[in-house]
Amino acid sequence: MDELKAIIFDVDGTLAETERDGHRVAFNRAFSDVGLDWNWSNSLYGELLAVSGGKERLRYYLERDRPDFDPPGSLDDWIVAVHKRKNHYYQELLAAGAIPPRPGVKRLIQEARDRGIRLAIATTSALPNAMAVLEQILDPSWFEVVAAGDVVPEKKPAPDIYHYALEQLQLTARDCVAIEDSCQGLAAARAAGLKPIITVNDYTRNQDFAGALLVLNHLGEPDRPFEVRWGAADGATYLDVDLLRRLHRASVG
Ligand code: XBP
Ligand code: MG
């Protein structure tokens, strides 16, 4: 029988509210640094999240909302420079403790470690940004594989980053469960053969998660039960390794 061997976590929006309280805020600071009064509000940022990757999202915004913008020098260089500034502010916000882990994240990861389940990351975020999240709210040494950003040609919803993580783990999709927060993440995991558990946030709560194992409002804590948005949690009120194993077993048959 296929036993659960590893959990592969998405980062942004899954481990912490890094989109709303991190990348978005940091982009606004970077815009101000380069003399632009652009402000990515929560609702605008929710729309821009349709495109994965910070550089790609900025390019999408320019094409969609600022067609007349004339950068000093080449557009590619300008995007890279603003993204670099954004990453500086993002890492500063994390270091200041402004972005705590979401409910249940630390507890589940600690239990998985205690029970010998391997851990990996699959994110479209740049590696230094992903590492900053792990350093500030968890511990990078807990993760055997950190698959991030530009290491693969196509970002989520393409499956590339999951294929890469599985290859590095030397496991198959049947050995693993993914934990994601968005429909792009779900599509990426599904296309790599994984059935993810979804932990929604304000940006993603109304997305279509057909094909997920379970859809929750967060992973839950013993004193802070999750709400099940879709699927069966067997009466559980927080996601632990036993529930993960049951869901995994049912999915691989
Ligand atoms: C989410 C993303 C990321 C971040 C920005 O990644 O799309 O691009 O918004 O990060 P995931 P960078 O949910 O897969 O973790 O600026 O580092 O690209
Ligand atoms: Mg995400």
Side-chain angles (χ1 to χ4, degrees):
M1 185 167 48
D2 299 88
E3 276 294 323
L4 176 65
K5 298 193 178 73
I7 309 172
I8 308 179
F9 285 88
D10 169 52
V11 172
D12 293 302
T14 295
L15 298 181
E17 298 287 4
T18 48
E19 298 289 14
R20 186 191 63 200
D21 301 335
H23 295 292
R24 184 186 68 84
V25 175
F27 264 117
N28 286 334
R29 289 186 187 167
F31 295 148
S32 166
D33 268 8
V34 297
L36 294 165
D37 64 356
W38 300 348
N39 177 55
W40 284 3
S41 65
N42 251 329
S43 66
L44 171 60
Y45 195 70
E47 294 168 23
L48 301 178
L49 282 172
V51 173
S52 297
K55 296 189 290 289
E56 293 81 353
R57 185 168 305 135
L58 179 52
R59 187 182 297 276
Y60 170 65
Y61 170 72
L62 294 172
E63 287 167 1
R64 199 192 76 158
D65 294 1
R66 304 279 175 184
D68 298 329
F69 176 63
D70 187 17
S74 93
L75 180 62
D76 286 356
D77 290 350
W78 186 86
I79 287 176
V80 167
V82 172
H83 186 248
K84 201 172 155 195
R85 275 174 193 270
K86 183 278 285 182
N87 292 345
H88 164 79
Y89 288 120
Y90 178 65
Q91 290 167 27
E92 204 172 73
L93 283 163
L94 281 163
I99 316 174
R102 294 190 64 198
V105 164
K106 229 168 169 169
R107 173 193 52 72
L108 175 63
I109 287 174
Q110 269 156 358
E111 190 197 349
R113 273 169 50 74
D114 292 344
R115 298 183 64 176
I117 294 178
R118 299 165 65 192
L119 299 170
I121 294 289
T123 173
T124 63
S125 190
L127 182 62
N129 292 339
M131 290 305 284
V133 174
L134 300 182
E135 273 155 23
Q136 297 302 329
I137 67 170
L138 299 165
D139 182 335
S141 72
W142 296 347
F143 296 86
E144 238 176 273
V145 170
V146 179
D150 298 322
V151 73
V152 290
E154 293 286 331
K155 293 189 174 169
K156 298 174 189 176
D160 304 23
I161 201 72
Y162 276 103
H163 283 142
Y164 180 84
L166 289 170
E167 202 180 290
Q168 297 291 309
L169 286 165
Q170 297 193 295
L171 292 175
T172 68
R174 289 173 70 87
D175 299 322
C176 306
V177 160
I179 304 195
E180 277 282 358
D181 72 304
S182 69
C183 60
Q184 291 95 335
L186 171 110
R190 294 276 292 146
L194 290 143
K195 285 202 186 134
I197 289 168
I198 305 295
T199 163
V200 299
N201 52 51
D202 288 348
Y203 291 129
T204 66
R205 63 175 74 253
N206 295 319
Q207 293 179 346
D208 178 6
F209 292 115
L213 279 179
L214 189 63
V215 182
L216 305 168
N217 65 331
H218 55 66
L219 302 182
E221 295 282 16
D223 61 353
R224 189 171 172 189
F226 57 43
E227 282 167 26
V228 178
R229 295 289 160 86
W230 183 88
D234 289 349
T237 58
Y238 59 95
L239 184 69
D240 62 4
V241 168
D242 286 337
L243 177 57
L244 260 184
R245 283 197 198 279
R246 286 200 297 278
L247 291 165
H248 172 258
R249 214 172 290 134
S251 77
V252 292

